[in-house]
C-alpha cells in the first residue's frame, strides 16, 4: 500500500540532479530506500537522502521515470512505500566516506550521523558534484574525472591516497559499481572494514522476486548495504548484473 | 522424521521453494537450500526471454501480496547456465515451465530434463499473463493434452500446477490424470486500486493474490482433490508457519511449497518450520510426517 | 453527496448491510439502520425453516472469517412478521432468497414482494449449502432461467448475487442478463483444519471466506464485470474502511454492502464510512459519490 | 482460531454441575464468556467462573455438548476462543448479587471483585445450590424453591425483601430468565440500577450472525451483561427467544 506525500520543495542540485523534499512519518536508517511510484509512468527505488522533519529524495534524470519525477513541482504528489532494506551500520571510529555521482544521495544522511568522518565527493566534472557544501563540519575532498575541481582522477585513486595516510576504522561507499569494486578491493587488500551500498534492477523491493540478486544476495532485502565479508563473496560485483528478464548482462 | 519420497524423488524435508520466488538465479536457490529448503522449484521458464511487466508489479497488503510479474525469465536457452550450477545442490530441483502451446511445453520439458531437472512442473495456472498459464489451465481438455504429451516426451516426473480460479478444481485435477503429482494452488485472480491515483496499482491492472489470505482456499483445494484423486499433492498458498504446514499435510498434501512468506519471515523460515514441525510430531508420538498426511479426512 | 438511486430505489447512502449478517430479525436491522446503513439486505430466506449447521459454524482468522452457517432461517412464512416490522424503516429493504428450483425462487420472490420488500436479491452463490446457492450459481443456463422467471413474476427490482467461485464471473454476469443489478461477491470456497483436533473445524467441513482477505478478489470481479456489463453493480467483500469502499466505487460499484467488518468494527462502521467518504469527496472536489463510480477504468 | 487448554482439575459441584480448571493467559472481565469446542461434538458458550492462575468453567449437564464435557477428566483438552462480550461494570457502592442455578457461575468472579456485596444464591433445592461456601467474607443468603435450605421461594422474592431493607447502589443478576425478568422489574420499579447477564442461542459469538439477538441487542457482542436502560427496552425479555433457525419461540 502506498502513502501519498506532497512535495514541499524542489532543489536543482546539478544540471541532471534534483532534490525533492517531503513530509513522511516513517523512520528510515541511512542507506535504506523507498519504492517511488509515479502513477502511469513507473515505479523505482530511491535512497533517502535526508532524514529530518523534511525528508528528501535526490534524483538523477536518466530515463522516463526519473524524467517524469523531474517534471514534478512543489505541491505535486509522490506515491511511496518503504523504507526497505538494511542500511549502514554506523561506527564511532574515524571513517572515510566515498560517494560517486548520486551515490552521495545515499551517503548524505550517514555522513550527518557519523561523529568522525572524512568525505570524498566525486563526479565526472565540477558541475555534477553533489552536496559539496552540505557537510561544513567534515573534511571534504573533491575528485573529478576531468580535474575541473579538486583531485583529477577516480574517487578510488583518491581514496587509496587518504587510506594510506590515516588510519580509518571503516570505509563507506556508494556510486558507480566499478568505483565501488575498486574501493572494496583496496579495503580488502588492506583489511579495512568496508560497507558498500549496491544498486540492482528492483521489482518487488521486498525480497521475493530475485530480480535484484547478486550472487544470491538480495540487494533489496539483504542489502542494499553490504559489508566486506559479503562483498568478498560477490564474484559478480562490478562485472555482471541482471536485466529485467533475469538474464546476466555485463556491467 | 521429515524426509519424504515423491515419485521416487527423495526430499530431505517436505518444505520446498515455490516457483517464482527467489528462483531466477542458481545462486539464490543455493542460498535458500542452505537455509534448509527440502527442494526448489525454479521460476517458470518459457521459450523466449521476457522482461515481464513494467513496475509496479507487486502490491503489499497486510495479509498477502498481489503480483503481476508477467512471467519474466531469461528464456530456456539462457536458463541452462543456472540449471548447470544447481547440479549436486543436494536437493531435488524441479524445473517450472510455461508455454503457449502443447509443443512449447514439450520442448521446454525436454530441455529441463536435459539440464538435469529432477522433475518438471507445468505452470498451467499463472493468472495474469495473456495466453499462458491460467488461460490454458482452466480448460480440462488442454490440460489433459499437455500433460499427456509432456509425459510421453520425458522420463522425469511431471508435476502439474493448478489454478484455483476455476469452478471445479477436482475436474481439472482429474483431467491431469497422467501427471505424477499435483501442485496447488497458484494465485487467486485479484487487483488493487489506489484511491489517490484513482487507477489500478499494477501496470497490468490484474494480478494474483498470494500469502496468508489464500491459505483457506488452498487448503480446501487440497482437501477436495485428495478425496478424489490418488496421487501425491504438493500444497502451496499461504504457508507462513509450522501450523499452516501441518494444516496442509492433514488436508492431504505430501509436501508444501513456500513463497510469499519469505518476504515477511526471510529465508530462515525453512529451517524454522522444519524444526517446529518435527517438534510437534515428536510431541504427538508420530514417527514421520507421512503419518499425518490426510489425517483430517475421516 | 452520498445519496444514490439504483433501479429507481433511493438510498440515503451507498453503504448497505450484506445478507446474512445481523439481518435475521427486524429489530437488529432497525438498529443497523439507526447506525447509518443506507439500506439492508435480509438474511437469505428459503421455503422452510432451517436450523443451519451444528456449531462450530464460524472460524475467525486474523484477516477474515470462514463461515458455514448453513442458511439458517425461519422459513418464508414466519419471516413475514419481520418484514412487516420493517415497513417505514426509512431505507430500502432488499429481501434475499434462496431456493432449490426456479419455482421456489419465483414463489419466494413473490412472497417478498407481498411483504413489501423494495427489491429481491437472489442468492445464487452460497458456497456451502448442498443443492442451493452456488451449485446453481455456477451454471449460466440455470442463472438465466431463474433470473428470467423471477423477473416475469414480480415488479420490484431483481438483484442477482454472484459467486466468485467460477472460472469466468463475466460469463455468469452476462447470463443474468435480465437482472436489474448485480451483487458481487459472495464468499470464497474455503476451509480450516485444527491441527490439535486433527480435523476440519467447521461441522460442515467446508465454508465460505469473507472479510479483508477477499477484497482483492471482489474488486477484480466488480472491475471485470463493469467493463462488460451495463448494469448497476453492488460491491461486497471485505469492505472494512472508507478506502476499501472507494476502491469498490472506482472499480465500478454503485453501492457496497458490508458484512464481516461489523464483527471487528461494530455497527458504527456505517456512520464512520459515510463521514469519511464524504470528507474525501469534498477534499477532492467531487459533488457526488456517483462521480467516482468506475473512474479507475481508463 | 482456537487455543487448546489442558484440564488441570475437575470438581463435582452439585449432582448436575461440574467445574473445570485450566490455565490460559487471556484476561477476561467478570461476565465475559468463551466459546468452548468439543471436537466432533459441539461448540457452546461458557462464562468464566473464576479468574485466577487457574481459570474455571462451571458447567451444568443439559445436553450432548455439556454431557461430553462432563465426561472429560484431568489431562483432557478443551478448545476455546474468547473472551467475548461485555462483562459487568463493577461498583463501589453496596451491591446485591442474585444468582439462580448456573447463573452463579457467571457471577462468582464478580462477587470476588466487589468490595461490598450481599449475595443471594438460589436453586431448586439444596443439592443444586452452587458455590455456597465460596464467599466467606460476604453476607450470603440462600433461597430454594422447595425450602430445603434457606428462604423458601423464588430468588426474586427474597431479593425484594432485601432491597426494601437496605439501600443497594446496584443489583447484579444471572440465572433463569423469568427470575431475571422479575428482578429487573423490581429494580426498575424502585429505580435501582441493575445489570443482568442474559443467555441466548449462540453461533458465531462475535456479533455477526444475529442468532443471539434480543430486540436488536446482540447478547454475544453488546452483552451478555446489560444495564437497566437496555433491559427496559427488551420487550422479549422473559417471554421470547429464538431457536437456531431464527424463529421466535416462547421461553
Ligand atoms: C537501492 C537503490 C537506491 C537508489 N537510489 C537512488 C538515488 O538516491 N538517486 C538516484 O538518482 N537514483 C537512485 N537509484 C537508481 C534509480 O532507481 C534509477 O535511476 C531509476 O530507477 C531510473 O528509472 P527511470 O525510469 O528513469 O529509468 P529507465 O529508463 O527505466 O531505466 C534506466 C536505467 O535505470 C535503472 N533502473 C530503471 N528502473 C530501475 C529499477 N526499478 N530498479 C533499479 N534500477 C532501475 C537501470 O539501470 C536502467 O537501465 C537507486 C537504485 C537502487 C537500486
Ligand atoms: C453467554 C453465555 C454464558 C453461559 N455460561 C454458562 C455457564 O457458565 N455454565 C453453564 O452450565 N451454562 C452456561 N451457558 C449455557 C450453555 O451454553 C448451554 O447449557 C450449553 O450450550 C448446552 O449445550 P448442550 O450441547 O449440552 O445442549 P443441547 O442439547 O445442544 O441444547 C440444550 C439447550 O442448551 C442451550 N444451548 C445449546 N447450544 C447453545 C448455544 N450454542 N448457545 C447458547 N445456548 C445453547 C439451548 O437452550 C438448548 O435448548 C451459557 C450460555 C451463554 C449464552
Ligand atoms: C512474486 C511471485 C511470483 C510468482 N511467480 C510464479 C511463477 O513464475 N510460476 C508459478 O507457477 N507460480 C508463481 N507464483 C505463485 C507461487 O508459486 C505460489 O503458487 C503462490 O504465490 C502461493 O503461495 P504463497 O502464498 O506461499 O506465495 C508467484 C508468486 C509470487 C508472489
Ligand atoms: C456469517 C455470514 C453469513 C452469511 N450469510 C449469507 C446469506 O445468507 N446470504 C448471502 O447471500 N450471503 C451471505 N453471506 C455472505 C455475505 O453477504 C457477503 O457476500 C460476504 O461475507 C462478503 O462480504 P464481507 O467480507 O463484507 O463479509 C454471509 C456471510 C457471513 C460472514
Ligand atoms: S527486488 Fe524483488 S527480490 Fe529484490
Ligand atoms: S452469536 Fe452470532 S451475533 Fe451473537
Amino acid at each position: 500500500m502506498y502513502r501519498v506525500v506532497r512535495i514541499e520543495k524542489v532543489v536543482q542540485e546539478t544540471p541532471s540532479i534534483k532534490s525533492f523534499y517531503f513530509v513522511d512519518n516513517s523512520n528510515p536508517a541511512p542507506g535504506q530506500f523507498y519504492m517511488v511510484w509515479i502513477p502511469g509512468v513507473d515505479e523505482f527505488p530511491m535512497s533517502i537522502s535526508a532524514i529530518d522533519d523534511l525528508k528528501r529524495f535526490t534524483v538523477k534524470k536518466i530515463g522516463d521515470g526519473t524524467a517524469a519525477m523531474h517534471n514534478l513541482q512543489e505541491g505535486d504528489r509522490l506515491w511511496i512505500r518503504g523504507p526497505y532494506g538494511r542500511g549502514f551500520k554506523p561506527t564511532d571510529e574515524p571513517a572515510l566516506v566515498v560517494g560517486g555521482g548520486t551515490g552521495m544521495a545515499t551517503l548524505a544522511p550517514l555522513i550527518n550521523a557519523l561523529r568522525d568522518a572524512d568525505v570524498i565527493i566525486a563526479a565526472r566534472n565540477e558541475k555534477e558534484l553533489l552536496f559539496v557544501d552540505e557537510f561544513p563540519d567534515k573534511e571534504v575532498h573533491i575528485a573529478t574525472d576531468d580535474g575541473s575541481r579538486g583531485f583529477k582522477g577516480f574517487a578510488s585513486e583518491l581514496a587509496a591516497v587518504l587510506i594510506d595516510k590515516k588510519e580509518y576504522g571503516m570505509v563507506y561507499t556508494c556510486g558507480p559499481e566499478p568505483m565501488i569494486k575498486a574501493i572494496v578491493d583496496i579495503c580488502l587488500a588492506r583489511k579495512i572494514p568496508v560497507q558498500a551500498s549496491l544498486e540492482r534492477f528492483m521489482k518487488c523491493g521486498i525480497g521475493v522476486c530475485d530480480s535484484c540478486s547478486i550472487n544470491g544476495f538480495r540487494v533489496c532485502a539483504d542489502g542494499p548495504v553490504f559489508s566486506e565479508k559479503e562483498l568478498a563473496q560477490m564474484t559478480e560485483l562490478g562485472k555482471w548484473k541482471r536485466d529485467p528478464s533475469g538474464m546476466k548482462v555485463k556491467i | 522424521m521429515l524426509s519424504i519420497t515423491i515419485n521416487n524423488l527423495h526430499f530431505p524435508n517436505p518444505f520446498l521453494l515455490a516457483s517464482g520466488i527467489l528462483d531466477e538465479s542458481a545462486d539464490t536457490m543455493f542460498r535458500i537450500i542452505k537455509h534448509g529448503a527440502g527442494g526448489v522449484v525454479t521460476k517458470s521458464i518459457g521459450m523466449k526471454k521476457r522482461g515481464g511487466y513494467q513496475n509496479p508489479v507487486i502490491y503489499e497488503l497486510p495479509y498477502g501480496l498481489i503480483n503481476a510479474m508477467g512471467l519474466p525469465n531469461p528464456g530456456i536457452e539462457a536458463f541452462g547456465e543456472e540449471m548447470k550450477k544447481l547440479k549436486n545442490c543436494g536437493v531435488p530441483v524441479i524445473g517450472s515451465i510455461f508455454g503457449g502451446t502443447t509443443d512449447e511445453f514439450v520442448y521446454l520439458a525436454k530441455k529441463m530434463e536435459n539440464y538435469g531437472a529432477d522433475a518438471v512442473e507445468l505452470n498451467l495456472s499463472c493468472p495474469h499473463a495473456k495466453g499462458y498459464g491460467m488461460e490454458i489451465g482452466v480448460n480440462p481438455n488442454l490440460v489433459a493434452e499437455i500433460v499427456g504429451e509432456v509425459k510421453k516426451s520425458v522420463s522425469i516426473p511431471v508435476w502439474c500446477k493448478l489454478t484455483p480460479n476455476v469452478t471445479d478444481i477436482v475436474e481439472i485435477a482429474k483431467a491431469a490424470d497422467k501427471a505424477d503429482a499435483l501442485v496447488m494452488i497458484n494465485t487467486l485472480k485479484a487487483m488493487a486500486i489506489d484511491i489517490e491515483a484513482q487507477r489500478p496499482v499494477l501496470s497490468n491492472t490484474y494480478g494474483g493474490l498470494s500469502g496468508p489470505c489464500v491459505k483457506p482456499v488452498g487448503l480446501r483445494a487440497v482437501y477436495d482433490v485428495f478425496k478424489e484423486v490418488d496421487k501425491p499433492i504438493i500444497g502451496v498458498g499461504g504457508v507462513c508457519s509450522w501450523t499452516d504446514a501441518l494444516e496442509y499435510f492433514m488436508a492431504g498434501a505430501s509436501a508444501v511449497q513456500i513463497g510469499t512468506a519469505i518476504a515477511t519471515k526471510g529465508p530462515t523460515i525453512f529451517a524454522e518450520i522444519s524444526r517446529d514441525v518435527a517438534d510437534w510430531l515428536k510431541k504427538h508420538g508420530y514417527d514421520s510426517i507421512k503419518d499425518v498426511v490426510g489425517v483430517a479426512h475421516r
Side-chain angles (χ1 to χ4, degrees), chain A, chain B:
Chain A
M1 285 181 291
Y2 294 96
R3 305 191 292 286
V4 181
V5 298
R6 186 179 176 278
I7 296 171
E8 304 293 340
K9 191 167 77 173
V10 180
V11 173
Q12 183 92 43
E13 304 281 5
T14 79
S16 66
I17 299 174
K18 281 185 179 177
S19 280
F20 300 85
Y21 289 81
F22 60 96
V23 179
D24 177 58
N25 58 16
S26 62
N27 198 8
Q32 284 195 299
F33 69 95
Y34 295 74
M35 293 298 283
V36 178
W37 179 37
I38 316 277
V41 185
D42 199 0
E43 185 199 40
F44 43 79
M46 273 298 143
S47 298
I48 193 77
S49 74
I51 307 174
D52 293 306
D53 292 347
L54 282 185
K55 292 196 172 63
R56 180 178 70 182
F57 294 133
T58 301
V59 182
K60 181 166 183 148
K61 183 158 127 186
I62 57 158
D64 289 353
T66 46
M69 190 148 170
H70 270 237
N71 284 335
L72 298 179
Q73 285 159 22
E74 188 185 316
D76 285 341
R77 296 178 299 170
L78 287 175
W79 277 250
I80 65 172
R81 55 188 177 101
Y84 293 125
R86 188 180 61 169
F88 293 102
K89 269 194 274 310
T91 180
D92 275 338
E93 296 191 53
L96 177 65
V97 184
V98 189
T102 54
M104 278 308 297
T106 308
L107 294 166
L110 170 73
I111 295 168
N112 284 317
L114 290 175
R115 202 180 46 82
D116 177 5
D118 298 342
V119 181
I120 297 177
I121 302 180
R124 298 236 167 112
N125 57 51
E126 179 176 15
K127 282 189 183 154
E128 286 299 335
L129 286 165
L130 188 61
F131 296 156
V132 277
D133 302 321
E134 190 153 326
F135 316 104
D137 62 332
K138 302 285 191 307
E139 190 182 304
V140 174
H141 303 259
I142 307 277
T144 51
D145 295 3
D146 65 358
S148 49
R149 185 165 165 192
F151 179 86
K152 180 177 186 330
F154 292 142
S156 49
E157 292 164 5
L158 178 54
V161 174
L162 294 183
I163 287 171
D164 289 337
K165 273 209 298 225
K166 181 169 167 183
E167 230 176 81
Y168 291 108
M170 180 70 73
V171 173
Y172 297 98
T173 184
C174 183
E177 202 158 305
M179 181 199 96
I180 291 179
K181 169 78 175 131
I183 288 169
V184 167
D185 286 346
I186 290 168
C187 292
L188 287 175
R190 291 166 175 75
K191 299 214 157 64
I192 302 171
V194 56
Q195 296 177 37
S197 176
L198 306 184
E199 288 188 10
R200 279 293 178 279
F201 199 93
M202 286 187 180
K203 294 183 173 183
C204 72
I206 55 171
V208 293
C209 77
D210 209 19
S211 80
C212 68
S213 296
I214 168 167
N215 291 111
F217 295 96
R218 300 165 299 169
V219 171
C220 70
D222 304 315
V225 176
F226 295 97
S227 61
E228 64 281 355
K229 230 186 104 182
E230 296 152 331
L231 293 161
Q233 295 170 52
M234 293 180 187
T235 56
E236 292 173 4
L237 187 67
K239 299 201 187 91
W240 297 96
K241 58 179 186 176
R242 288 180 191 260
D243 72 8
S245 80
M247 177 90 84
K248 254 168 106 167
V249 292
K250 281 241 155 74
I251 285 183
Chain B
M1 168 164 270
L2 291 180
S3 71
I4 51 156
T5 302
I6 299 176
N7 310 145
N8 288 323
L9 293 175
H10 180 76
F11 297 83
N13 69 62
F15 308 107
L16 323 183
L17 178 66
S19 178
I21 291 97
L22 297 177
D23 47 12
E24 218 168 55
S25 70
D27 285 349
T28 317
M29 285 184 265
F30 255 112
R31 185 155 163 246
I32 301 288
I33 294 164
K34 250 193 223 147
H35 278 295
V40 292
V41 186
T42 70
K43 176 84 198 156
S44 293
I45 305 296
M47 300 292 289
K48 286 212 205 88
K49 172 176 157 151
R50 274 172 72 102
Y53 299 128
Q54 169 99 17
N55 279 1
V57 289
I58 208 137
Y59 188 68
E60 289 177 85
L61 293 162
Y63 38 80
L65 288 180
I66 310 178
N67 92 80
M69 306 305 297
L71 293 171
N73 78 97
I76 190 71
E77 304 308 325
F79 201 66
E81 189 187 332
E82 310 296 333
M83 291 297 293
K84 205 161 72 192
K85 284 201 216 161
L86 285 171
K87 286 202 172 130
N88 311 315
C89 69
V91 302
V93 175
I94 290 91
S96 173
I97 57 175
F98 72 95
T101 63
T102 305
D103 287 350
E104 287 185 7
F105 272 103
V106 168
Y107 180 86
L108 292 162
K110 282 183 179 163
K111 274 280 184 182
M112 279 291 187
E113 179 169 38
N114 290 340
Y115 290 158
D118 296 292
V120 73
E121 183 176 293
L122 312 183
N123 179 353
L124 300 171
S125 44
C126 179
H128 49 74
K130 263 215 118 30
Y132 294 109
M134 204 189 93
E135 300 201 0
I136 290 169
V138 301
N139 181 329
N141 298 331
L142 272 179
V143 168
E145 178 185 314
I146 292 168
V147 176
E149 291 303 316
V150 170
K151 254 319 265 184
K152 279 190 228 156
S153 322
V154 297
S155 51
I156 52 176
V158 176
W159 293 8
C160 184
K161 184 162 177 187
L162 304 182
T163 172
N165 299 294
V166 291
T167 306
D168 183 6
I169 199 165
V170 174
E171 181 194 9
I172 308 290
K174 288 182 174 166
D177 185 33
K178 293 278 187 300
D180 297 294
L182 298 171
V183 182
M184 62 190 81
I185 57 174
N186 209 313
T187 54
L188 284 173
K189 291 196 287 187
M191 75 178 293
I193 289 171
D194 186 279
I195 61 165
E196 292 300 328
Q198 305 188 20
R199 62 190 302 147
V201 174
L202 301 172
S203 73
N204 183 54
T205 302
Y206 302 121
L209 185 63
S210 63
C213 54
V214 308
K215 187 192 64 176
V217 176
L219 210 57
R220 174 167 180 165
V222 169
Y223 189 94
D224 270 358
V225 170
F226 182 85
K227 270 198 312 200
E228 305 271 339
V229 176
D230 188 23
K231 213 186 274 293
I233 296 172
I234 291 96
V236 51
V239 176
C240 299
S241 69
W242 61 277
T243 56
D244 295 332
L246 279 171
E247 278 193 80
Y248 269 106
F249 293 122
M250 291 181 182
S254 298
V256 296
Q257 294 177 359
I258 299 175
T260 302
I262 298 173
T264 39
K265 311 243 167 144
T268 53
I269 188 177
F270 287 97
E272 284 154 19
I273 288 195
S274 273
R275 181 197 59 205
D276 294 342
V277 168
D279 281 355
W280 188 93
L281 290 173
K282 262 176 241 152
K283 226 168 74 189
H284 289 73
Y286 285 109
D287 292 331
S288 163
I289 185 72
K290 287 169 229 145
D291 300 337
V292 300
V293 172
V295 291
H297 294 261
R298 42 174 133 193

